[in-house]
Structures are given as structure tokens and as C-alpha cells.
Amino acid sequence: MSGLTLDRTALPGGTGVQALRQQAVDIFSRTGLPGRRDEDWKYTDISRITATLGETWWQPAPTETAEPEISDIEGLDAYRIVFVRGAFQLEASNLPDSIQLKPLSALLAEDVDATSHGLLKLDESAPLFNGFLAANSALASDGLCACIGENTKLDKPLYVLHIGNSTAHLLNGIMLGQGAEATLIEHFVGGDGSAAGLSNIATYIRLQDHASLSHYRLQMESAKQFHIGRVDVQQARNSRYTLHAVELGGSLSRADIVVKLAEAGASCELNGLFVAAGRQHIDHHTRIDHAAPHCSSREQYRTVLDGRAHGVFNGKIVVAEGAVKTDSAQSNGNLLLSKQAEIDTKPELEIYNDDVKCAHGVTVGQLDETQLFYLKSRGLSETEARQLLTFAFADEILVAMGHNAIRRFIEKAAFAKLPNMADLDGLLG
Amino acid sequence: MSFVVKKGFDDMLKIENLHASVAGKEILKGINLTIGAGEVHAIMGPNGSGKSTLSNVIAGRDGYEVTAGSVTYHGKDLLAMKPEERAWEGVFLAFQYPVEIPGVNNTYMLKAGVNAKRKHQGEQELDAMEFMQLIRKKAKLVELDQSFLSRGVNEGFSGGEKKRNEIFQMAVLEPSLALLDETDSGLDIDALRVVAQGVNALRNAERSIVMVTHYQRLLDYIEPDFVHVLADGKILKSGDKNLALELEERGYDWVKDEAAIAASDQGQAA
Ligand SMILES: Nc1ncnc2c1ncn2[C@@H]1O[C@H](COP(=O)(O)OP(=O)(O)OP(=O)(O)O)[C@@H](O)[C@H]1O
Ligand SMILES: [Mg+2]
């Protein structure tokens, strides 16, 4: 496998930044890309990416020429931050002025001491660390950096729209100061879908005491695109983090969600929904570290797999020795709509003290025949009955989305994917 | 011009020599039963005798293999229809064990059901307003609290609430053939009265009702025209409401004995 080479002229940042990039390259040359021998990549074969994109899979290469059309989510009133094929678009954006916000490209170009932001600095010992993350630091060309100050309650969500296919390595850093509150929506949409690229996206989130972030991560790339994501969250005392991760698009999509409940009273909630069909491969590895007492975590993932889709869910929860009064619950439900669809799911609990409450459960199944018959006996057609039950299966995750406009948008997008699932009028609300 | 259908005049449902198996085991062993328009029939019989199997076969549930016989409904071959078609044609089953369907709204399900049926019958679909009016009226009829309308189908309902919800659904769907499989089981005394009132309110010359029950109590409220004893997959005896009283007093053994004697007499005669 060929290593990464840096084209320093093409990447933003002065000498400090370039030194960090070089460190990342060095790490990559040691780690390489994850392979199937790695326990955490057992079910996800990334040779699909390298086989399609070639030896220089990492190289930013604009692949589509058509300008993507930028459209909003209906009914969503938000600050909009737009990236087209990995590059920030000031014109198309609508930035808040109540908070500090900059694209990474600008931040690095200003040549402030980027090491102080710590953005490109890698921690090889971090859970689920892998070569893609090293490549991300080495090659990060843009992204969103936002600092939401102490006690600032952002009046509208930050809506970060990534649009158009290309290979891009983007790095986002979101910091919430003490008592700050915000909603972040990351939305990945493809372009015309004519070409394949790799979206390699890392999002670092830091929450100070009592800060609260609602995070929507909507992966709706076009059919050939590859998506590798990482969400890395660190939470201070009494902070709250809620993730709504929705996986609909792409050919192969993998996300590592790593949350550290670092101080007492912190809580997180991870809600995940996959709706996949065709030959889509979707993999989430989540890792929640209960590192302090009195923290709570709630995790629920639902996958709906049709065609020959393959889903992977690995939910690891680690409760440290001192993390007494931990309250943790995880559930993972998987609905296989076809005989060829496949799921590999594994909850992993590592608990190093006795004073904890941990519950977890996994189900894998088809639609319930008794429920289907009940609905049909009331006059619903086979199709309608299947549609309703599939919808009901995903409902728990959809209902948890506090933001109605997003919920409706996802409901429509998710079910438009499945055969005969288009007409949802009356189901909504 | 008006045409009055006399009770028992028109055969709504005709079951002839019906044999059905589940998982290779024969459960129904030659059922013969004719139900006229406007009639109320009660089916009683020991546990495991095939009462629910019969109801399910009529409603079209998967997993039952009909090995012989026929079921004719309004002159049509019922067994050839899909379950939803049977519903559109006016067949309704109140389940012995109503299914919980979390996440599927009770009202939504009914609206979809009612409109599918109307469409099938060439009637205009009800809009949201008309439909809400209809279900409010019907909820009142069975004294079902409005809060149940917006919940998931039977989700977290108590046993009795589920049964009441079945009757509510029947009232909304206005079937011409209603099969009530032990709708009285699990109801408290007040609920039984309310449910019975609901059923009685729906009784008319075109609507037939088949009630599967273990208890005479229900028949005090809803007076049947006919009572049948189903045991070991066959209808062993039929009579009027007095048969139910007799069963209450004497149990089923004498019916089985009578049938056994009759069978052996027949055997000897042959
Ligand atoms: N799926 C199945 N597999 C095997 N046996 C079955 C199945 N379904 C029903 N049976 C059997 O068929 C017989 C008749 O069952 P059915 O439910 O029709 O009885 P029932 O008369 O309604 O009884 P109850 O009064 O207890 O409700 C029983 O012995 C039952 O165990
Ligand atoms: Mg029964």
C-alpha cells in the first residue's frame, strides 16, 4: 500500500500546522488502513474503497462537475454553513454573529498557533483510533470550527450542509462553554451521484460544565460515495449530549462514535437509525466511557435492512472503577426485510465496579406475522401493513428527534427508500 | 321500493364439511354451519376444540391449511380471498388475544381500514373531519375514553381495554359478519354490559354475529338465535339459547357422550 504524501501548497496552515500534519503522516505510515484482522473492522471490508478509488484513495479529487443545488430542509430555520465538495462556501452560508465560528481553512490560514486549538493533534491511544483518522489530520482541508461561549443559548440550530461528491477530509471542532446550549445538524448529501469519492469526516465535540448539545448527523450521501466518520465527544460535569445518527445513503458508511463522560453528572443519549437497501454496507461502532460517578448513558439503535444490505452495530460501554452510580442502558433492534439482508450486532459491556445499573438488549427479526394479520384483518393491504409496521419499528428513534422539521424530513427520506413506502400522509404527526 | 330481509332467509355464510390443519395436525374435522343474515350464533365448547381456529380460518389467517370443504360468503368463495379483501367485503374478527402494535396509531389504522373498505365498495373516502366525527360517535357507543384513540394499537392496554377496543373497531368498521372470539373473557361486569350494549346496538337484519364464548353470562345480555357446541373439531350439537343454559349446568361431557352414541348407532346401522 502506498503511503500518504502531503502537498503542502494545497493544504492550509503555517509551519506549526504542517508539523502536525507530518506527525499524522508518520502515524499513518505505521498504522496503515484498518483491515479485517482488526477486531473492530472484522465485518467491514474497506478494500471496497481502495478498489474503487485506487492507491491514492486519500487524494482530494473533485469528481463531479455539475454544481449541486442547495436546498434547505423544509421548515428548518437555522444558521446555514455550506461546504461544496469539501470547500466552505461563504456566499451560500448564513452565519450567526453571536458565536465564534470559522471554517477550518480560514483558521489554519490565519496561521495562529494551530497547536493551541489542538485540532490536528492525534491521540493514538483513543478508542477506535485508526488510519482514516490519521489521514484526516494529515489532510484536513476544511471544516467547521465553532465556539459557543459561556451561557450562550444559540437561538437557532447550526445546520452544516456538505454537498457534492468528492474525496474530502474534513475536520470539525465544536466547543460549548459552561452552560451553553446548541443544536448542531451535520447533513451529508451527494451530488448527482455520477462518481465515487470518500468523505472522511471527523467531528470533535467538547462540552464544558452544564453545556448541552443536540447533534443530528444525517448521512445521505449518493449511492456510490464512501463515508468514514468519527464523532469524538468529551463531556465535563453535568453536561448533556444527544446524538441522532441517521444512516441512509452511501455505498459503504462507517462511523465511530466515541463519547467520554469525563466528569460527574454528565449524560449522553445516542439514537441511531439505519435504513439500508441494495448492497449498502453501514457500520457504527460506538464507545461510551463512563469515567466518573453519577453519569448516565442511553443508547438505542434501530436498523431496517432490505435487499442485500449489511448492517454492523457494535456498542461498547466501559464503566471505570471509580464510576459508581453509573446508569446505562442500551438497546439495539434490527429488522430484516429480506432474506439476503444481514446484521452483525454486538453489545460489549466492560464494568469495573459493582455499583452500576446497566441494561442491554438486542433483537433481530422480521416483521411480526401476527401484527401483519391483525392490520390486514382491519382492511389494510399487505403493502400498507408492512409499511406501517416498518415505520412503527423506526418510530422510537424518530420520536426521539426533538426537532420536528428534521424528523419529518428523515421520515420521508428514510421510507422513500423502501419499496412501496412513499405515501406516508397521515402517519406523520 | 323496499325489500325486507327476513331473519334467516338469506344465507350469509355457509360452511360445508370444513377440514383444516395447523402444522400438519387436523384441528377442524368437518364443520357444517350456516349463518343467515341478521342472525346471532353462539359457539361454545371445551378449550382446544378449534373455536379460534374456525374464526381464524374464516378471517383468513396464514398458517392454516384447509384440506377439504368450502366457505361461501354472500355467494362468494371466501377462502379464495386475501384477509384484507374479506375485511373489505365485511368480515370482522374480534381477536381472542388482541395484538399490541406499538408505534401504529389506533386511529390511523382504523382510518386506513375504513377508507380501504369504502374504496372497495365504490364509496367516497372519508376525510379527516368526517372520520373523526365517526370515531367519536363510536367511542361514545362503547364508552371508550378518547385518550385510547391516539395511542398505539392496544399498546399497554389492559386485558379488558383491549377487548373493548375490539368492539370499538367493530363499531367503526360496521361489518356484515362479525366474529367475536371470547370478547367477554376478561371483562368486568360493567364492561361486559357496555360491550354487550355496543353489540346489540349494531344488531340489524343485515348483520350477522358469531360469538365464541365460555359463559352463559354474555348470552344473558346478547340473546343468541342459535347455540352450537364445537368439540374436537366438529359441531356436535346445535340448539337455541336454552342449550347454553343446559351446558352451563351440565358441562360438555354429556354432549360428547350423546355424539359418541349417535356415531356408534350410525356405525351399527351401516
Ligand atoms: N400454530 C399451532 N401449532 C400447533 N397447534 C396449534 C396451533 N394453533 C392451534 N393449535 C392447536 O389447535 C387446537 C385448537 O386450538 P384453538 O385455539 O382453535 O382452540 P379454542 O377452541 O379456541 O380453545 P380456547 O377455548 O382455549 O380458546 C389446540 O389444541 C391448539 O393447541
Ligand atoms: Mg380460542
Side-chain angles (χ1 to χ4, degrees):
Chain A
M1 186 188 310
S2 72
L4 300 179
T5 51
L6 292 177
D7 176 1
R8 287 173 207 280
T9 54
L11 289 167
T15 46
V17 171
Q18 298 302 349
L20 283 172
R21 291 193 190 279
Q22 189 54 51
Q23 278 174 23
V25 171
D26 295 343
I27 290 172
F28 182 85
S29 54
R30 266 186 284 118
T31 58
L33 286 178
R36 299 196 80 154
R37 291 174 317 278
D38 297 298
E39 186 60 26
D40 291 324
W41 292 80
K42 207 159 106 186
Y43 300 109
T44 295
D45 183 4
I46 55 107
S47 66
R48 196 153 144 182
I49 301 178
T50 44
T52 309
L53 301 181
E55 291 269 279
T56 53
W57 55 269
W58 44 268
Q59 211 156 47
T63 44
E64 290 176 346
T65 44
E67 267 317 299
E69 198 177 308
I70 295 166
S71 65
D72 283 312
I73 292 175
E74 194 186 322
L76 177 68
D77 182 18
Y79 297 112
R80 192 166 77 173
I81 300 109
V82 180
F83 294 83
V84 173
R85 291 190 288 267
F88 174 67
Q89 310 291 313
L90 184 61
E91 290 294 295
S93 299
N94 148 35
L95 306 178
D97 39 34
S98 57
I99 62 167
Q100 283 175 274
L101 184 150
K102 268 201 180 118
L104 181 78
S105 50
L107 196 73
L108 296 181
E110 275 171 15
D111 213 22
V112 286
D113 181 10
T115 49
S116 69
H117 296 282
L119 282 171
L120 300 183
K121 196 153 179 62
L122 287 172
D123 173 10
E124 269 185 273
S125 67
L128 296 165
F129 184 88
N130 64 64
F132 286 111
L133 199 60
N136 183 278
S137 272
L139 302 163
S141 56
D142 218 335
L144 170 69
C145 299
C147 243
I148 299 162
E150 223 169 88
N151 293 320
T152 302
K153 307 209 180 337
L154 200 58
D155 58 337
K156 289 194 260 183
L158 291 175
Y159 173 53
V160 188
L161 175 63
H162 296 274
I163 192 161
N165 290 341
S166 67
T167 291
H169 306 267
L170 301 181
L171 191 157
N172 307 300
I174 313 291
M175 331 277 157
L176 267 69
Q178 201 172 331
E181 281 176 27
T183 297
L184 169 70
I185 305 159
E186 290 186 276
H187 189 194
F188 304 94
V189 228
D192 60 16
S194 59
L198 169 69
S199 304
N200 183 12
I201 317 284
T203 301
Y204 295 87
I205 292 168
R206 300 291 177 263
L207 305 180
Q208 297 299 322
D209 294 8
H210 290 92
S212 169
L213 180 71
S214 246
H215 182 193
Y216 293 80
R217 192 176 191 284
L218 316 176
Q219 190 279 100
M220 296 168 63
E221 305 264 19
S222 55
K224 292 180 188 164
Q225 185 74 2
F226 302 108
H227 188 103
I228 300 286
R230 182 183 179 89
V231 176
D232 182 307
V233 185
Q234 290 201 16
Q235 296 187 238
R237 185 175 292 269
N238 293 329
S239 61
R240 286 180 50 85
Y241 173 70
T242 306
L243 173 71
H244 305 276
V246 179
E247 292 278 343
L248 302 183
S251 158
L252 180 152
S253 174
R254 156 83 179 225
D256 293 330
I257 316 283
V258 177
V259 180
K260 184 165 184 182
L261 301 165
E263 293 180 14
S267 64
C268 73
E269 196 182 313
L270 309 183
N271 300 304
L273 175 64
F274 303 177
V275 180
R279 292 183 160 273
Q280 277 185 291
H281 180 101
I282 298 185
D283 173 354
H284 272 213
H285 271 59
T286 69
R287 156 90 178 230
I288 300 171
D289 270 295
H290 278 268
H294 296 281
C295 292
S296 85
S297 61
R298 291 286 173 274
E299 179 169 26
Q300 44 171 3
Y301 265 74
R302 295 279 179 278
T303 77
V304 178
L305 305 173
D306 200 1
R308 309 177 73 88
H310 186 182
V312 181
F313 172 72
N314 183 291
K316 186 164 179 172
I317 293 168
V318 181
V319 182
E321 202 180 333
V324 292
K325 307 289 178 203
T326 285
D327 179 4
S328 162
Q330 181 191 73
S331 84
N332 169 227
N334 304 283
L335 176 59
L336 305 179
L337 293 177
S338 91
K339 287 207 168 59
Q340 289 84 37
E342 206 185 322
I343 178 79
D344 288 293
T345 167
K346 186 171 165 199
E348 273 187 85
L349 303 182
E350 273 179 32
I351 301 173
Y352 298 101
N353 80 66
D354 293 333
D355 193 6
V356 300
K357 226 167 61 188
C358 278
H360 67 97
V362 177
T363 61
V364 177
Q366 289 82 39
L367 291 177
D368 184 300
E369 287 298 327
T370 317
Q371 294 179 337
L372 273 174
F373 173 62
Y374 191 89
L375 294 174
K376 289 192 281 185
S377 78
R378 270 44 180 161
L380 281 77
S381 68
E382 174 86 24
T383 308
E384 265 180 309
R386 288 185 170 273
Q387 169 178 325
L388 259 185
L389 291 180
T390 306
F391 188 85
F393 176 80
D395 191 53
E396 248 177 289
I397 305 297
L398 294 165
V399 163
M401 296 185 172
H403 211 288
N404 275 334
I406 301 177
R407 191 179 114 198
R408 272 158 205 266
F409 175 72
I410 292 302
E411 280 170 346
K412 284 213 168 100
F415 292 96
K417 277 191 73 169
L418 300 171
N420 307 309
M421 291 274 180
D423 178 20
L424 281 165
D425 277 358
L427 277 174
L428 312 179
Chain B
M1 203 183 79
S2 72
F3 177 76
V4 180
V5 181
K6 271 205 300 201
K7 260 195 169 184
F9 177 77
D10 176 33
D11 285 350
M12 166 169 303
L13 187 75
K14 202 169 167 71
I15 301 172
E16 287 174 297
N17 188 35
L18 183 66
H19 290 252
S21 313
V22 179
K25 180 179 152 205
E26 181 160 70
I27 309 291
L28 302 183
K29 302 174 179 172
I31 302 269
N32 289 294
L33 183 64
T34 299
I35 294 170
E39 292 175 357
V40 174
H41 290 238
I43 296 180
M44 305 182 81
N47 293 132
S49 58
K51 302 180 299 296
S52 294
T53 303
L54 178 62
S55 312
N56 286 330
V57 168
I58 295 172
R61 187 174 192 150
D62 273 349
Y64 297 90
E65 196 196 346
V66 174
T67 51
S70 65
V71 180
T72 313
Y73 172 71
H74 282 307
K76 294 180 194 163
D77 178 5
L78 189 70
L79 299 178
M81 296 181 203
K82 293 190 278 195
E84 59 269 35
E85 285 176 280
R86 300 180 198 203
W88 302 337
E89 293 278 344
V91 175
F92 177 86
L93 170 63
F95 285 58
Q96 181 174 3
Y97 304 108
V99 186
E100 294 201 24
I101 316 183
V104 173
N105 180 285
N106 214 7
T107 302
Y108 179 80
M109 176 190 72
L110 280 174
K111 183 162 183 248
V114 165
N115 279 335
K117 185 175 174 185
R118 292 182 72 93
K119 207 166 149 186
H120 177 78
Q121 294 175 340
E123 294 173 53
Q124 194 159 22
E125 293 179 31
L126 298 181
D127 65 25
M129 280 263 274
E130 293 166 322
F131 182 73
M132 285 316 286
Q133 274 170 359
L134 172 73
I135 63 165
R136 287 219 181 88
K137 195 174 89 193
K138 301 294 187 176
K140 211 170 267 169
L141 179 73
V142 296
E143 296 178 22
L144 184 79
D145 194 275
Q146 303 271 334
S147 66
F148 287 89
L149 301 177
S150 54
R151 279 165 66 174
V153 176
N154 295 320
E155 185 180 359
F157 288 24
S158 76
E161 288 163 352
K162 284 178 185 166
K163 296 302 178 80
R164 198 183 287 224
N165 193 29
E166 294 291 286
I167 295 303
F168 164 66
Q169 294 181 25
M170 173 180 88
V172 172
L173 290 163
E174 300 182 328
S176 57
L177 173 66
L179 310 160
L180 312 183
D181 192 356
E182 293 198 30
T183 302
D184 53 331
S185 301
L187 289 180
D188 66 39
I189 297 160
D190 291 331
L192 181 67
R193 184 184 40 77
V194 170
V195 162
Q197 272 171 11
V199 173
N200 282 328
L202 292 166
R203 271 179 95 154
N204 69 28
E206 281 92 44
R207 182 169 292 137
S208 307
I209 296 169
V210 179
M211 301 182 292
V212 172
T213 182
H214 288 293
Y215 307 106
Q216 161 62 29
R217 202 179 56 160
L218 174 72
L219 308 181
D220 290 339
Y221 290 103
I222 309 171
E223 196 176 293
D225 299 303
F226 299 96
V227 174
H228 310 277
V229 178
L230 199 163
D232 193 26
K234 279 188 190 142
I235 290 188
L236 295 188
K237 197 175 179 66
S238 297
D240 62 11
K241 61 182 180 188
N242 293 314
L243 176 58
L245 291 166
E246 204 173 349
L247 290 169
E248 180 101 330
E249 207 160 288
R250 299 174 63 190
Y252 293 113
D253 283 347
W254 66 277
V255 182
K256 289 187 199 166
D257 292 344
E258 256 186 35
I261 292 163
S264 74
D265 282 356
Q266 237 175 22
Q268 271 159 21

